[in-house]
Each structure stands twice: as structure tokens, then as C-alpha cells.
């Protein structure tokens, strides 16, 4: 609802329908509550407002009755508080509060130099007044007076904004009317004087000052304030009203840059020299124009056409409108400039200083030193380098403003596209803007090409951006007409050494550190050159890395090719990053893994480029690099990146391991195995890898190979007899061995031995500081604690593991631990939290490109839905999981569990035959997996003979080595069997099943 008290009480429903609060008393009561909307109003204030100083007997009861009627009549939420009543509405729903907010914001904008926006907000605020405020409160004169003063202050602020925007004659009648009611307001007198002067009536303006002086002397015995006297003196001297000179008018809408505009306004309020820096095409000039558009006394000086630094003073004089006198022509231009600006306080905008930066800096320094009121806003691709200068970098546009700019300019050349807004076009627009680095000029040039190209054609042609974006505005300076011209202008400003380094830096596709630049580019001590290129907006510097915008990178890469240096630089680049990866590899298995992971992550683009280069030029070097990166890819969950590269490299190397690169070759083969069943040649490579792993001699230089192989090949391909020799006696290898033994004991149904092995592995990984190893031990240890019913302990272990994988930023392992934690929460009956965990696990696995783990999370969501009674939803999740599972060893076991879930969902709906069918499918699939215990428990649920149920439950216990404490799917089956059997017969059947184990499941 909306409420108005700035005039007669006005109440509106959400759709704008007027509502009637009732007679005078309800209207007064609602007005009092609205004055403090959202806060408790004391009883005394309410009774005083309704009944005056002498309330009747029983006023409290009468007030309660009024509140009750008001609640019912308008369906208002009026809460009783210990000291009074509170109307539970947002303050923003009351016009008085909106007025106060808008007035404050308008005053702030006015003070920060944005009178246009200030005027708009203040008009909006004043438009909320519909007459006398609080008209329904008969005894509120003092409060109304305070509100009237707030309204007057907003009117005066709006007048100041209008004056700053060039208003004058139209304000005079309003100001005279205001003064008639407030003849002692010096602010109104000053505003009227400025309005008359702006309207070409200076004599009347001086007369107003005399009126003010007499009024103040007669009424108060005082003289006008210093501010009003200074204004009078200014008008007596005949100074011209402040105005703008040379600020170019704009023909298109300005889009984005709200943060930059606010920052410039703040900087200009505190600093006398602010320089906007950034690459060509970033929109520095347009931003400067927008920043000063509403400011008084601005002089815009365009330096781009100048070819000689000596012309800078003349350009400023010309922009100021200063001419040579008839009797003293010529003379020193700088002296004339200083004289012309003496005693004045303009804001000079020096646009495009980069090609005359020394001369511009010299003149600016003299002006700032000799003319203390002058301020300068400069635009340049590098700073002027003057003490006191404040740099304001102008970055490329972000994605949202980039897309809006493109759409706006595209609609201008293709009006038929103005309403086009489908997902495909939005995606292409985002891709185009990203490819053009968010540079406004490049985006505008690209949008202009839509006159003749479709959006798809434009996106496809941006690989040759300089040819595509070769037509621009004919009215622009030549260097702003095409994208190539913009970059060439910057290129020509570099010296030979800077150009050499700039073109060589393009060998780094994702930026470079100082060490990498020095090693690859062959330029000793490049710090000064890098700093110079960064100052000239050719490079970006962040966190010790130097990078280029793609547009500048593309231009400089052509210069590298033309110089004939491309092959040599690419070889040096590949060699450097091969060395870096091999130094990093052992560090990823210990306490220093975090900084090394961060370093490799920052260099991903360079490492990819180095691998592509080595695959073509030196496949043996490529094997070394791929092997060194394999564990990094595993830790970072970059599964989608390795397969295609490994297949390409394997084709280049051949079918046999090169001399001295056996382990590296094996890892390459392993990395070709995606395990999704899409490649029919994978089974042959899997068998080939099995033979290669069997031939490994230890100790391995790359012991993580065993992990990669066990994950890819599964238990059926493990080489348990050789693992100890292969991993050696390094603590990490020994811990890895215990980790593998733990899983073997688990699969064999020996949970106590498995728990002990995982505990030893955890201790070993703690010794090395390897977070991955610790997390992968904590996961099964938590599972065993969960099985024992120690669910608080399980959650603690999982939380520790999540800390480790969080530090590693390992999405796949994080998904595993979240899934395990969700399962524990599910058994505790916390369905909402379990759902949130399974959902988050699915999102992480999906982002990491691990579809089988997405399916596992979907199965978990099915379990939550089933146990919470929503069997239709459970079936949806289970069926989605079955469709998503990949055809690898890990997914077979999860498919078994999903089939069991479908059977239990059918059983919950009393469809016993359907449940038995699902369980039979699970039994057949479970023959070669470790999930036969789940199948046995499921079959027990549909067994017609209680002794058979007991035997199957015993078989599940024997297969798993234990039972899961508190499993609701099993407890009910066991209780039902016990009800129909004596304790002796149940225990006998259970023990028989436990001894038969898997045979009991197969014979079913």
C-alpha cells in the first residue's frame, strides 16, 4: 500500500485504488502512525494527537477501539507494543519518507557537481506535495512548520540546480513570490540576484542586494553576510556568468560508467589535476564530457590535432576565447595564458594529451602553480607525471553496459532489431562484446557493421577484427574512425624498445610475470620498459602479472609475425612453462601445494599454449608437460581439458613409449580415457594402458599415476601386487598405498581393517601436508563413522575435509564430501539440509564436467524425496540419474543403488511386482560391483519368507562387513522378520546369510 500525508491523507491499494480510512479520528490516528511508520508510537503521543491536552476518561480504551476499527477497515498490520502501537509498513511507502530521501540525495548530487540529476530528483521530491502537510491533524502547527521549512530547503536546492544548468529569467517570478513570504532569507536574495544576472538584467540584480541590505538592517540591525556581499561585488565588477566553452555536444546516449562518473566528481572536489587514463577506444573523451556536462565555467581544449608541443598554450588560449590585442599582438603565449587565467577558477579539460604529454605536463604545471583556483581534467593514454596528479583509470565496460551499448547502437542502424531479444542473440552479443574487450569504440564500430551483416556473421568474422571494424564515423578524427587506426596511434607513440617488448609479449596468451617476461622475451631487466608500457595503457598490471587487451594483443601479434620472431618466441615460451610445470609437480603433493596450485592456475592459458606448441614441434616435450600437469588437472577438476589434448599428443608420439619417458607415456594414455562410452576406441586404449601399468618399475617418479589409473580403470584393473614397489618409501607414496589398501579392505567387506588403513593414510598425508590426501581419507572415515551411528563424528570429519578441498578449490572432491555429508544429514532426518547439500554437489560436479557424480547427487535427491514421502518426485530423480550415468566402473555401482531406489519407491506405493523387477535388475548389474549389500537388503524387503529376509539381511551384513546403524530401509524389514520368527530362528537365518554372503544374493 502507498500512503500520503503531504496534503490530505491519501491511502492507495497496491493497484492504485483509493481507500477510505473513515472519519476524522481514524484519519488523524493513521496520520500519527504514518509519521513514524515502522516504529512504535507512544500511547501519550497518540492520545494527545487525537484528543488534545485534555483527553476524555477511558481514552486508552477508545484508542484501542480506534486501532481495531482501522485494522479491519484497511486490513493494516498495526502491532501492539509495550509502550504504544506500530504500523508495520515500510517507510518508503509513505510520501514524507520518500520526500526526505529524494531531497537528501538531490542535495548530495548538487554538492558533488551533478545539477542535472539533482534537479530531477528534487522535482520528483517536491511533486509529492499535494497541499498543506498533515491536513488531517488539527493540532500540529509546530510539526507543519518544520515540514514547510524542509520543503523550502528542497525548493532552494532545486533553484540552485536550475541556475547551474543555465536557468535564469524563468526563475525570477518564483523567487520573488518566495521572498514575499520570507523577506529575511539571504539565500533567496542571492538566488534572485543570480537569476536576474543570468537573464541579462544586471541592474535589477544590484537593486535586489540593496533591498536585502535594508530589510536585514530594519528587522535585525545586521548587514548582509559575507557570501551575499561577495556575490554583490562580483556583479559590480561585471564578471561574466560562469559558462561552458567548447564542450562538444553529443549525438548518442551515454551508457554505463556510473561508478566512474561518481569517482571523477569526488576527485574533482578534492584534487586540482585529475587525469583519465586508459587504452585507445576506452571512451575517455566521452566520459570527460559527461563528467563536466553540467558544471559551470568549463573550458574544453582538444589537443589531438596539434603536432607541436609549443602549440599547447595557443590551443588553450583559443578555447578560452582570448585573442591578440590590436596594439600588443603576439608575445609569449604562456605568459598571456597565465595572465588570462589570473583570478579565475575555470575547469580546463585537456583532451588527448598522450602525443604531446611533455608539453601538456609543462603547461599544466605552470597553470596549477600560478593560478591557484584553476583545475584541470586531462585525458591521456598515460599520466602527465605532475606532483599532485590523481590518476583515474578508465577500464573497459563490464558485460552488462557493453551489451546495452551494443544494442543501443545496433538499433540505430537496424531499427528492425530493436525488439530482438532471444537467448541466441543475447549470447552472441555477450560474445562479441567480450571479444572486443568491452572497448566502447570497438563495440560501436561492430554495431555499425550490422547494416550489412547479421549478428552471426559479425561474430564469426571477429577473428580478423581490424578488417571487419574498418568503417567508422566520417566526422571523427582519422585516428578514431577504425579500430586499427586507434591502436596504430598508440603504437606510433612507442619507442623502438617498447615496440619490441610489446610484440614479444604477445607470445603469452594469458599474461606473464616479470620472471617469465625476462626469460622468454630475451630482454634483460625489462622492469622499466614494462612500467612504461603500462603507463601508456598498452599493458594492464594486476597482482604482479602483465597482460594485454585482446584487441591490442591481436595488433601486436601481427607485428611479431612481421618481425619473423614468432617461432623462436613460441619455443622459448614452451620451454619456460615446461620447466615451470616440472618444478611445480612434486610441490603439488605436499604442504606447499596451495601457492603452486595458485601459480599454475594463473598460468593456465600459457600452459595450454605451451602444450599445443610442444605437441606440434616436440611431442616428447609434450609428454613431459602433460605428465607434469596431470595431477594439477586432477586437483582442479579440469577433466574436460585433458582428453582431447592427450589424444592429439598420443597420435603424435605413436604406440610405443619413447626412451626415458615410460611413465609420461602411460599418463598420456590414461588421460585419453574419458570414460563416457562415447569413443569406441577407448576399450583398446584401456587394455593398452593396463599392459603398460603392469610393466611399470618402481619407485615411480610420478606416483600420482597410480591414483589416475585406479580412478580410470577401477578395481578390476588394479595391480595390487606391484603397488608397493611402484610408490616407493616416500611418505606420500606410503600414505597413498594405505589409501588404496583401505578401499580394497572396504570392497572385501572388512570395515575395521579398512578404517585402520584409512586412519594410517590420514596420518601419512598429514605428515606431508597434502590436503587432497587428507580429504580423501576423511571421506571414507566419515562413512564408517556414519555406518556405526556416530553421525556427529562423521559430520566433524567431513567438515575438516571440506576445509581442505575448499583451500584446494577442488570441485570434484568438494562434491564428493558434500554428497557424503548430505547422506549423513538424510539419516538424521534433516531433509532440507540434505537436499541443499545434494543440489550443491550436483552443481559442482556439473561445472567440473563429471556427469556420473551429477547423477549420484540426483540419486541422493531421489532418496530424500522417497524418505520424505514424495515418491513421484523420487522416481523423477532416480530416472534422471540413470540417464546421466556414464558407462564406467564407478557408475555401475551407483546405477545399482539407483535401481534399488526405484524399487523402494515402487514398494512404498505397494507395487511389489514392480519393486521386485527393479531389484532383479539391480542384482544382475551388481554381480561385479561392490554394491551387492544394497541389493541383498532390497531383496529382503520383497522376500515372502521371513527366514529368507533374515538370510538376505545377513548376506548384506557379510558383504559390507557391518550394518548401517539406524537405516530406516532396513530396520523395518528386520523388525517385520523378527515379528514372524523366534529370536533363535532369526539369528540362525541371519548367520546363515552372513556366511553365504554373495552366494545368497546370486541364488535369489
Amino acid at each position: 500500500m502507498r500512503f500520503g500525508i503531504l496534503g490530505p491523507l491519501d491511502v492507495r491499494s497496491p493497484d492504485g485504488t483509493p481507500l477510505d480510512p473513515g472519519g476524522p479520528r481514524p484519519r488523524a490516528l493513521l496520520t500519527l502512525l504514518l509519521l513514524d511508520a515502522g516504529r512504535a508510537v507512544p500511547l501519550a503521543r497518540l492520545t494527545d494527537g487525537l484528543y488534545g491536552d485534555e483527553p476524555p476518561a477511558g481514552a486508552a480504551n477508545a484508542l484501542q477501539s480506534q486501532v481495531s476499527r482501522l485494522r479491519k477497515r484497511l486490513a493494516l498490520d498495526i502491532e501492539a507494543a509495550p509502550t504504544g502501537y506500530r504500523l508495520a509498513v515500510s517507510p518508503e511507502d509513505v510520501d514524507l519518507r520518500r520526500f526526505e530521501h529524494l531531497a537528501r540525495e538531490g542535495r548530495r548530487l548538487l554538492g558533488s557537481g551533478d545539477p542535472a540529476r539533482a534537479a530531477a530528483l528534487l522535482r520528483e521530491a517536491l511533486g509529492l506535495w499535494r497541499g498543506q502537510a498533515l491536513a488531517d491533524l488539527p493540532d500540529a502547527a509546530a510539526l507543519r512548520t518544520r515540514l514547510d521549512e524542509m520543503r523550502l530547503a528542497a525548493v532552494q536546492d532545486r533553484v540552485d540546480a536550475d541556475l547551474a544548468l543555465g536557468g535564469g529569467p524563468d526563475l525570477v517570478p518564483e523567487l520573488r513570490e518566495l521572498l514575499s513570504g520570507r523577506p529575511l532569507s539571504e539565500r533567496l536574495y542571492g538566488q534572485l540576484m543570480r537569476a536576474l544576472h543570468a537573464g541579462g538584467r544586471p541592474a535589477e540584480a544590484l537593486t535586489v542586494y540593496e533591498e536585502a541590505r535594508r530589510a536585514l538592517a530594519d528587522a535585525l540591525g545586521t548587514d548582509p553576510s559575507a557570501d551575499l556581499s561577495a556575490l554583490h561585488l562580483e556583479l559590480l565588477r561585471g564578471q561574466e556568468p560562469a559558462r561552458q566553452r567548447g564542450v562538444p555536444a553529443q549525438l548518442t546516449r551515454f551508457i554505463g560508467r556510473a561508478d566512474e562518473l561518481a569517482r571523477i566528481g569526488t576527485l574533482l572536489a578534492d584534487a586540482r589535476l585529475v587525469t583519465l587514463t586508459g587504452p585507445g577506444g576506452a571512451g575517455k573523451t566521452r566520459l570527460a564530457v559527461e563528467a563536466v556536462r553540467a558544471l559551470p565555467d568549463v573550458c574544453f581544449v582538444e589537443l589531438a590535432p596539434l603536432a607541436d608541443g609549443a602549440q599547447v598554450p595557443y590551443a588553450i588560449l583559443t578555447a578560452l576565447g582570448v585573442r591578440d590585442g590590436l596594439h600588443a599582438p603576439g608575445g609569449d603565449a604562456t605568459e598571456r595564458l597565465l595572465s588570462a587565467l589570473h583570478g579565475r577558477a575555470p575547469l580546463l579539460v585537456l583532451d588527448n594529451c598522450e602525443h604531446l604529454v611533455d608539453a601538456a605536463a609543462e603547461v599544466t604545471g605552470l597553470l596549477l602553480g600560478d593560478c591557484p583556483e584553476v583545475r584541470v581534467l586531462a585525458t591521456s593514454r598515460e599520466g602527465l607525471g605532475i606532483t599532485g596528479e590523481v590518476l583515474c583509470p578508465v577500464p573497459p565496460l563490464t558485460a552488462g553496459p557493453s551489451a546495452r551499448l551494443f544494442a543501443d547502437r545496433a538499433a540505430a542502424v537496424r531499427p528492425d532489431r530493436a525488439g530482438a531479444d532471444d537467448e541466441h542473440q543475447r549470447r552472441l552479443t555477450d560474445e562479441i562484446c567480450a571479444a572486443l574487450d568491452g572497448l566502447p569504440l570497438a563495440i560501436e564500430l561492430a554495431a555499425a557493421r550490422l547494416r550489412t551483416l547479421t549478428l552471426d556473421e559479425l561474430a564469426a568474422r571477429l577473428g580478423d577484427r581490424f578488417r571487419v571494424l574498418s568503417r567508422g564515423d566520417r566526422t571523427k578524427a582519422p585516428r578514431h574512425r577504425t579500430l586499427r587506426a586507434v591502436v596504430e596511434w598508440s603504437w606510433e607513440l612507442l619507442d623502438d624498445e617498447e615496440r619490441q617488448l610489446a610484440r614479444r609479449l604477445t607470445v603469452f596468451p594469458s599474461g606473464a610475470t616479470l620472471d617469465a617476461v625476462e626469460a622468454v622475451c630475451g630482454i634483460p631487466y625489462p622492469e622499466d620498459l614494462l612500467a612504461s608500457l603500462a603507463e601508456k595503457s598498452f599493458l594492464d598490471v594486476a597482482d604482479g602479472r602483465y597482460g594485454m587487451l585482446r584487441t591490442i594483443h591481436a595488433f601486436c601479434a601481427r607485428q611479431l609475425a612481421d618481425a619473423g620472431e614468432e617461432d623462436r618466441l613460441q619455443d622459448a615460451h614452451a620451454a619456460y612453462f615446461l620447466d615451470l610445470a616440472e618444478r611445480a609437480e612434486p610441490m603439488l603433493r605436499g604442504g606447499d601445494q596451495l601457492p603452486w596450485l595458485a601459480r599454475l592456475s594463473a598460468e593456465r592459458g600459457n600452459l595450454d599454449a605451451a602444450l599445443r606448441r610442444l605437441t606440434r614441434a616436440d611431442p616428447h616435450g609434450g609428454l613431459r608437460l602433460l605428465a607434469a600437469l596431470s595431477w594439477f588437472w586432477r586437483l582442479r577438476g579440469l577433466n574436460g581439458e585433458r582428453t582431447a589434448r592427450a589424444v592429439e599428443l598420443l597420435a603424435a608420439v605413436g604406440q610405443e613409449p619413447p626412451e626415458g619417458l615410460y611413465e609420461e607415456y602411460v599418463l598420456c594414455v590414461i588421460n585419453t580415457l574419458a570414460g563416457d562410452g562415447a569413443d569406441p576406441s577407448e576399450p583398446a586404449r584401456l587394455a593398452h594402458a593396463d599392459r603398460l601399468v603392469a610393466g611399470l618399475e618402481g619407485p615411480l617418479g610420478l606416483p600420482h599415476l597410480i591414483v589416475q589409473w585406479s580412478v580410470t580403470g577401477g578395481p578390476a584393473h588394479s595391480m595390487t601386487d606391484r603397488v608397493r614397489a611402484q610408490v616407493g618409501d616416500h611418505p606420500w607414496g606410503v600414505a597413498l598405498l594405505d589409501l588404496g589398501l583401505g578401499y580394497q579392505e572396504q570392497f572385501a567387506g572388512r570395515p575395521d581393517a579398512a578404517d585402520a588403513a584409512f586412519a594410517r593414510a590420514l596420518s601419512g598425508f598429514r605428515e606431508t601436508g597434502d590436503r587432497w590426501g587428507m580429504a580423501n581419507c576423511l571421506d571414507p572415515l566419515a562413512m564408517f563413522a556414519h555406518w556405526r551411528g556416530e553421525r556427529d563424528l562423521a559430520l566433524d570429519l567431513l567438515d575438516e575435509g571440506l576445509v581442505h578441498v575448499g583451500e584446494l578449490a577442488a570441485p570434484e572432491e568438494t562434491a564428493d564430501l558434500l554428497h557424503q555429508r548430505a547422506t549423513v544429514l538424510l539419516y538424521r532426518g534433516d531433509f532440507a539440509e540434505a537436499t541443499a547439500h545434494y543440489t550443491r554437489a550436483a552443481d559442482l560436479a556439473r561445472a567440473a564436467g563429471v556427469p556420473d557424480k551429477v547423477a549420484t547427487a540426483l540419486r541422493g535427491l531421489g532418496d530424500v524425496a522417497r524418505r520424505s514421502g514424495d515418491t513421484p518426485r523420487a522416481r523423477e530423480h532416480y530416472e534422471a540419474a540413470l540417464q546421466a550415468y556414464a558407462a564406467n566402473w564407478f557408475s555401475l555401482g551407483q546405477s545399482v543403488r539407483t535401481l534399488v531406489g526405484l524399487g523402494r519407491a515402487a514398494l512404498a506405493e505397494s507395487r511389489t511386482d514392480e519393486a521386485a523387477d527393479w531389484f532383479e535388475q539391480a542384482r544382475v548389474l551388481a554381480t561385479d560391483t561392490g554394491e551387492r549389500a544394497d541389493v541383498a537388503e532390497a531383496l529382503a524387503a520383497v522376500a515372502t519368507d521371513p527366514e529368507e529376509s533374515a538370510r538376505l539381511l545377513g548376506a548384506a551384513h557379510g558383504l559390507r562387513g557391518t550394518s548401517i546403524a539406524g537405516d530406516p530401509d532396513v530396520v523395518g524389514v528386520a523388525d517385520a522378520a523378527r515379528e514372524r520368527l523366534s529370536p533363535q530362528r532369526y539369528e540362525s537365518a541371519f548367520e546363515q546369510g552372513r556366511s553365504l554372503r554373495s552366494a545368497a544374493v546370486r541364488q535369489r
Side-chain angles (χ1 to χ4, degrees):
M1 298 176 69
R2 307 288 277 184
F3 304 90
I5 57 177
L6 297 178
L9 179 64
D10 184 50
V11 183
R12 303 272 172 167
S13 67
D15 63 2
T17 303
L19 302 176
D20 182 13
R25 284 269 165 78
R27 298 176 73 87
L29 173 60
L30 182 54
T31 301
L32 289 166
L33 291 170
L34 289 168
L35 279 169
D36 287 286
R39 297 194 298 266
V41 185
L43 292 173
R45 189 185 306 168
L46 292 173
T47 53
D48 288 347
L50 289 178
Y51 305 108
D53 295 335
E54 298 181 1
N61 291 334
L63 175 61
Q64 183 180 14
S65 178
Q66 292 281 1
V67 168
S68 178
R69 285 198 292 271
L70 197 56
R71 282 191 187 116
K72 293 177 181 177
R73 189 179 186 96
L74 298 180
L76 293 175
D77 185 6
I78 305 176
E79 302 170 351
T83 58
Y85 291 96
R86 171 182 175 271
L87 177 59
V89 299
S90 169
E92 287 302 307
D93 291 334
V94 183
D95 59 358
L96 173 59
R97 300 304 168 215
R98 294 202 304 278
F99 167 78
E100 291 173 330
H101 170 74
L102 291 168
R104 279 196 304 270
E105 183 63 12
R107 187 172 299 114
R108 186 191 69 79
L109 290 170
L110 183 63
S112 64
D114 192 350
R117 290 171 63 198
L121 289 183
L122 290 164
R123 280 190 168 81
E124 182 181 351
L126 292 166
L128 295 171
W129 286 73
R130 297 169 289 104
Q132 185 186 60
L134 311 180
D136 293 275
L137 281 183
D139 189 17
L143 186 53
R144 263 194 294 272
T145 298
R146 184 173 67 83
L147 294 180
D148 286 341
E149 290 300 323
M150 291 169 53
R151 182 183 189 182
L152 175 62
V155 170
Q156 292 175 304
D157 287 341
R158 194 222 75 223
V159 169
D160 278 341
D162 288 342
L163 287 168
L165 292 169
D170 54 323
L171 298 172
V172 172
E174 179 185 10
L175 289 167
R176 286 201 181 278
E177 182 179 355
L178 290 170
L179 266 172
S180 67
R182 295 167 181 79
L184 301 180
S185 172
E186 289 193 73
R187 184 179 181 187
L188 287 174
Y189 280 119
Q191 289 177 326
L192 179 57
M193 291 167 65
R194 289 200 296 274
L196 288 165
H197 193 280
R201 299 153 67 181
E204 289 184 59
L206 297 175
T207 301
V208 168
Y209 177 77
E210 291 301 321
E211 294 174 7
R213 187 182 61 76
R214 284 196 303 271
L216 292 169
D218 292 344
L220 305 175
T222 61
D223 292 325
S225 67
D227 288 344
L228 194 61
S229 299
L231 175 60
H232 178 239
L233 183 60
E234 180 181 328
L235 298 181
L236 278 174
R237 289 175 176 173
Q239 293 182 357
E240 287 293 318
R243 58 176 177 160
Q244 294 194 339
R245 290 179 176 270
V247 179
Q250 302 300 309
L251 304 178
T252 56
R253 287 198 307 152
F254 184 71
I255 293 174
R257 301 290 194 199
D259 291 342
E260 288 86 346
L261 282 173
R263 175 166 166 73
I264 294 169
T266 301
L267 293 176
L268 286 174
D270 297 328
R272 296 183 58 210
L273 171 59
V274 177
T275 303
L276 309 184
T277 62
K284 299 183 294 296
T285 298
R286 182 65 188 270
L287 180 58
V289 169
E290 292 299 322
V292 305
R293 180 172 56 86
L295 298 181
D297 205 2
V298 175
C299 180
F300 194 92
V301 186
E302 173 59 82
L303 300 183
L306 305 186
D308 183 356
Q311 297 176 312
V312 171
Y314 292 101
I316 302 175
L317 284 168
T318 301
L320 288 167
V322 178
R323 303 180 182 180
D324 285 335
L326 294 176
H327 304 291
D332 184 85
T334 303
E335 290 297 327
R336 290 173 50 229
L337 178 59
L338 295 176
S339 176
L341 289 173
H342 185 69
R344 295 180 59 182
L347 172 62
L348 299 179
V349 180
L350 303 183
D351 190 39
N352 293 304
C353 298
E354 54 270 351
H355 64 305
L356 302 172
V357 65
D358 291 335
E362 181 181 357
V363 173
T364 301
L366 289 172
L367 287 175
L368 295 177
D370 198 67
C371 307
E373 300 302 318
V374 170
R375 294 175 298 152
V376 174
L377 175 64
T379 74
S380 178
R381 299 185 192 184
E382 63 177 305
L384 302 187
I386 300 174
T387 300
E389 176 184 33
V390 178
L391 298 180
C392 183
V394 180
L397 290 172
T398 54
S402 292
R404 293 198 299 274
L405 177 65
F406 183 88
D408 182 81
R409 303 306 191 255
V413 299
R414 287 283 300 276
D416 58 303
R417 289 195 70 258
D421 190 30
D422 61 50
E423 182 61 33
H424 176 66
Q425 291 192 336
R426 285 195 294 272
R427 179 181 59 78
L428 282 180
T429 296
D430 290 342
E431 290 176 0
I432 289 169
C433 294
L436 297 175
D437 303 302
L439 291 175
L441 175 63
I443 291 171
E444 292 186 344
L445 290 172
R449 291 311 302 263
L450 293 180
R451 289 188 181 95
T452 56
L453 297 176
T454 67
L455 201 61
D456 294 87
E457 290 170 339
L458 176 61
R461 284 165 169 74
L462 282 184
D464 190 1
R465 65 189 65 200
F466 296 112
R467 182 184 64 79
V468 174
L469 307 183
S470 61
R471 297 169 63 90
D473 188 341
R474 294 187 181 93
T475 67
K476 298 286 187 182
R479 66 185 184 85
H480 271 158
R481 289 182 190 170
T482 70
L483 189 60
R484 175 180 289 280
V486 169
V487 183
E488 280 182 339
W489 170 264
S490 296
W491 178 260
E492 293 301 325
L493 298 178
L494 305 181
D495 61 31
D496 289 342
E497 287 184 320
E498 290 169 338
R499 292 178 191 171
Q500 181 188 60
L501 180 55
R503 68 175 181 257
R504 291 182 179 179
L505 284 171
T506 62
V507 76
F508 299 98
S510 59
T513 62
L514 176 61
D515 289 343
V517 172
E518 187 169 11
V520 174
C521 294
I523 298 176
Y525 310 110
E527 295 91 335
D528 290 343
L529 284 175
L530 288 168
S532 180
L533 288 171
E535 289 168 0
K536 295 179 178 180
S537 302
F538 239 77
L539 293 179
D540 294 320
V541 186
D543 300 324
R545 295 184 65 80
Y546 298 87
M548 285 180 169
L549 294 177
R550 279 177 280 189
T551 297
I552 295 176
H553 189 282
F555 180 89
C556 294
R558 292 191 179 185
Q559 309 304 313
L560 181 70
D562 292 344
E565 299 177 322
E566 199 169 18
D567 286 340
R568 178 174 62 82
L569 265 293
Q570 287 181 357
D571 287 340
H573 175 273
Y576 176 85
F577 284 101
L578 171 59
D579 177 71
L580 175 67
E582 290 186 327
R583 284 189 288 123
E585 189 279 326
M587 310 304 292
L588 299 180
R589 292 180 267 115
D592 293 327
Q593 61 190 173
L594 292 184
W596 280 98
L597 275 171
R599 185 167 182 183
L600 291 182
S601 294
E603 301 291 3
R604 273 180 59 189
N606 287 311
L607 292 165
D608 293 346
L611 184 55
R612 288 193 298 271
R613 175 67 180 179
L614 291 171
T615 299
R616 294 191 304 270
D618 178 13
H620 290 185
L623 281 179
R624 291 168 55 196
L625 181 54
L626 182 138
L629 292 176
S630 290
W631 193 236
F632 165 68
W633 290 337
R634 175 70 190 176
L635 292 177
R636 278 290 187 251
L638 304 175
N639 302 285
E641 299 192 2
R642 57 183 173 84
T643 306
R645 294 171 194 161
V647 169
E648 183 182 1
L649 182 58
L650 189 63
V653 174
Q655 293 299 307
E656 295 300 326
E659 183 69 28
L661 296 173
Y662 195 97
E663 291 180 40
E664 290 81 355
Y665 184 84
V666 173
L667 272 169
C668 183
V669 176
I670 291 172
N671 276 297
T672 67
L673 304 172
D676 56 10
D679 186 352
S681 65
E682 272 203 5
R685 288 203 301 276
L686 183 65
H688 183 41
D690 211 354
R691 290 191 297 272
L692 291 169
V693 173
L696 283 168
E697 298 292 339
L700 299 180
L702 301 166
H704 60 80
L705 183 152
I706 298 299
V707 182
Q708 307 272 34
W709 177 235
S710 65
V711 171
T712 304
H717 298 86
S718 62
M719 304 295 296
T720 55
D721 294 339
R722 306 181 59 88
V723 168
R724 184 174 296 279
Q726 289 170 344
V727 301
D729 57 2
H730 188 277
W732 192 90
V734 173
L736 180 64
L737 177 64
D738 279 325
L739 181 62
L741 290 174
Y743 281 111
Q744 291 169 28
E745 297 288 2
Q746 176 187 334
F747 295 147
R750 295 187 287 270
D752 292 341
D755 190 75
F758 287 128
R760 291 195 305 273
L762 176 62
S763 177
F765 284 126
R766 286 196 196 282
E767 181 183 346
T768 67
D770 183 354
R771 293 160 180 82
W772 173 89
M774 289 188 279
N776 276 273
C777 294
L778 289 162
D779 188 357
L781 287 170
M783 181 187 71
F784 289 128
H786 161 59
W787 286 4
R788 295 190 300 268
E790 299 174 5
R791 297 200 165 94
D792 288 341
L793 173 60
L795 292 176
D796 289 342
L797 294 170
L798 290 167
D799 288 342
E800 181 187 348
L802 284 166
V803 170
H804 294 319
V805 294
E807 291 176 329
L808 291 171
E812 190 172 345
E813 281 75 12
T814 303
D816 288 339
L817 290 167
L818 285 172
H819 184 278
Q820 186 74 275
R821 199 175 197 278
T823 301
V824 177
L825 291 168
L826 172 62
Y827 273 73
R828 282 176 36 147
D830 194 341
F831 295 152
E833 279 297 301
T835 297
H837 278 57
Y838 283 132
T839 302
R840 176 64 178 147
D843 291 341
L844 286 170
R846 191 176 292 110
V850 194
D852 52 322
K853 296 195 176 184
V854 176
T856 301
L858 290 172
R859 178 184 59 77
L861 289 170
D863 289 343
V864 175
R866 177 175 58 81
R867 292 191 181 178
S868 60
D870 189 354
T871 49
R873 184 64 173 160
R875 283 197 302 274
E876 290 178 15
H877 285 309
Y878 289 141
E879 288 166 0
L882 282 179
Q883 292 174 4
Y885 277 127
N888 60 29
W889 72 269
F890 177 78
S891 294
L892 289 177
Q894 296 301 325
S895 295
V896 170
R897 293 186 177 186
T898 306
L899 292 167
V900 167
L902 282 165
R904 285 176 170 152
L907 200 61
E909 295 177 336
S910 301
R911 297 199 302 274
T912 309
D913 292 342
E914 180 186 334
D917 182 61
W918 287 119
F919 293 154
E920 177 61 19
Q921 292 183 51
R923 186 193 66 77
V924 172
L925 191 60
T927 302
D928 295 322
T929 73
E931 313 305 328
R932 287 168 291 176
D934 295 78
V935 175
E937 290 167 344
L939 291 172
V942 294
T944 57
D945 181 359
E947 289 193 47
E948 184 179 13
S949 290
R951 279 195 298 272
L952 287 164
L953 292 177
H957 187 287
L959 288 164
R960 193 183 287 118
T962 187
S963 297
I964 301 177
D967 186 343
D969 290 322
V970 175
V971 170
V973 176
D975 288 346
R978 284 192 175 96
E979 287 178 3
R980 299 171 62 188
L981 297 173
S982 68
Q984 294 80 8
R985 287 180 64 190
Y986 179 88
E987 291 301 327
S988 174
F990 188 89
E991 285 301 321
Q992 182 184 8
R994 186 162 59 178
S995 63
L996 291 173
R997 294 168 56 142
S998 60
V1001 180
R1002 288 198 298 270
Q1003 291 171 4
R1004 174 68 176 83

